[in-house]
Amino acid sequence: MMLFSYCQLDMNKNEIIQMLDRWNFWNKPIDTGVPRNYYLKKIFQYISSPEIIALVGIRRAGKSTILQQILSQLLSLGVHSKNTLFIKLLC
């Protein structure tokens, strides 16, 4: 038996795009906080893997910040910002 939790969004397309624009590096740099180089180095070992990488931890541990730091590093390595997407799923 599998149980899923989901959030129902009552938003139009423009509202969704505006929200995603705030979270992503598409049109501006985003403050990524203090770099966690130890964890970034560990995660980047798997970044080109075809496997799905799950970053798990307790609430407010910095998972989103580390993901934004990974995106920032990918951009500095030449990945175009339009080829990235960061979505926060908060319910």
Side-chain angles (χ1 to χ4, degrees):
M1 178 181 194
M2 297 181 81
L3 300 175
F4 295 95
S5 176
Y6 67 94
C7 297
Q8 197 170 27
L9 297 177
D10 185 24
M11 304 170 81
N12 67 39
K13 181 180 176 180
N14 288 333
E15 290 172 319
I16 292 171
I17 290 172
Q18 287 175 353
M19 182 175 49
L20 291 174
D21 190 55
R22 285 194 311 264
W23 295 340
N24 285 276
F25 294 88
W26 298 338
N27 298 311
K28 65 193 172 308
I30 293 181
D31 179 24
T32 58
V34 177
R36 305 294 182 203
N37 294 321
Y38 173 80
Y39 297 108
L40 291 172
K41 190 174 181 180
K42 289 251 183 217
I43 294 168
F44 259 88
Q45 293 174 2
Y46 303 100
I47 206 75
S48 62
S49 169
E51 303 292 325
I52 294 172
I53 301 167
L55 185 59
V56 297
I58 63 171
R59 186 170 181 247
R60 301 195 47 85
K63 298 176 297 292
S64 296
T65 300
I66 289 176
L67 289 173
Q68 287 179 324
Q69 291 176 6
I70 290 168
L71 280 176
S72 180
Q73 281 196 353
L74 288 172
L75 295 174
S76 70
L77 293 172
V79 174
H80 193 280
S81 63
K82 296 292 182 184
N83 292 331
T84 65
L85 178 63
F86 183 77
I87 301 173
K88 294 181 183 184
L89 298 176
L90 305 173
C91 297

